[in-house]
Amino acid sequence: MAASRELDAIQTRVLEMDESDMQYEVERPFPYSPQAGLFFSMNHEEKIDSDRRSIYVGNVDYGATADELEMYFNGCGHVNRVTIPYNRFTGHPKGFAYIEFSERESVRTAMTLDETLFRGRVIKVLPKRTNIPGFRTTDLRGGWSRGRGFRASRFYNPFRGCHFIRENGLADPWVDSF
C-alpha cells in the first residue's frame, strides 16, 4: 500500500512538470516569466522579427546564469531576453542559450564573440534560426531524405523474391540466384 501511494505521488509530480517552467529568464529569479507569455501571443511575423534579433549560444557552461550571459553580450547591444533551456525531467541546463537583442545590428556584433572563452569554455555563437511549423530537417530515420526511394512498410519483406541456394543442406537467404 505504501509503495502504491509513493508511486502515485511521483506520478502526480511528473504530471505537474511543464516545459515552460524549465526556462529561466533574466527578468525573474524564478522559473516562470510573464514576458515568456508575450512570445506566444506574437503573430508569425513578430516571431520571425524576434528570431532575426536573436542568437544561439552553444557550449555554454552548465553553471552559467542568465545574468552572466546578459553581462557578457551587453557590449554587443541592449539585451531584451536571455533564455536558458532546461531538461524538463532532470532540471539540468541543456548547455546552450538564446539571447534576444533590441536591434538586428547587435546580432552581427555578437557574431564576433564566436569561439571566445566564456566561463572557461569556447562558445559557439550563431544567428538563431526560425522554426517553420510542421517542417523538420530530418525524418525519423535521421537522414535528410528517404535515400534511394525506399519507403518502409509493415508489409515489407526483405526476403520476398529471394531464391534460396542450399549448400551442404543450409539455406542462405542473402544469396539470390539471378
Side-chain angles (χ1 to χ4, degrees):
M1 283 293 199
S4 67
R5 275 186 261 138
E6 186 177 322
L7 182 61
D8 289 340
I10 291 171
Q11 288 175 340
T12 1
R13 278 187 270 154
V14 169
L15 291 175
E16 290 172 356
M17 292 178 87
D18 185 11
E19 188 170 4
S20 63
D21 291 342
M22 294 297 173
Q23 291 190 0
Y24 291 89
E25 302 286 335
V26 169
E27 295 79 21
R28 297 280 182 184
F30 54 92
Y32 178 73
S33 170
Q35 199 175 39
L38 295 174
F39 181 78
F40 295 109
S41 64
M42 293 181 186
N43 64 28
H44 186 65
E45 288 79 22
E46 290 171 334
K47 287 182 183 179
I48 290 174
D49 182 53
S50 173
D51 286 349
R52 288 183 179 153
R53 291 182 283 115
S54 301
I55 59 170
Y56 161 87
V57 184
N59 200 28
V60 175
D61 183 59
Y62 294 105
T65 65
D67 290 331
E68 290 173 329
L69 283 165
E70 181 184 16
M71 287 189 299
Y72 190 76
F73 286 96
N74 205 19
C76 302
H78 180 262
V79 175
N80 283 348
R81 175 176 38 213
V82 174
T83 306
I84 300 174
Y86 284 75
N87 182 309
R88 70 184 337 189
F89 300 110
T90 65
H92 298 293
K94 291 186 176 181
F96 63 92
Y98 296 105
I99 299 174
E100 180 186 326
F101 294 101
S102 297
E103 303 292 327
R104 287 187 187 179
E105 304 300 322
S106 301
V107 172
R108 275 186 242 147
T109 309
M111 295 291 295
T112 61
L113 295 176
D114 184 29
E115 297 185 1
T116 59
L117 281 178
F118 174 72
R119 293 193 68 170
R121 297 181 76 164
V122 177
I123 58 172
K124 187 70 179 165
V125 180
L126 298 168
K128 184 176 185 286
R129 63 179 177 86
T130 301
N131 288 333
I132 301 170
F135 180 77
R136 293 188 298 180
T137 56
T138 60
D139 63 6
L140 296 176
R141 287 177 292 272
W144 283 89
S145 67
R146 288 192 178 104
R148 292 181 269 163
F150 173 79
R151 182 176 170 107
S153 151
R154 65 184 181 139
F155 302 111
Y156 174 70
N157 180 1
F159 301 117
R160 191 179 72 203
C162 285
H163 302 284
F164 294 96
I165 298 177
R166 291 190 181 265
E167 291 185 71
N168 300 333
L170 300 174
D172 188 1
W174 302 110
V175 178
D176 50 18
S177 62
F178 291 122

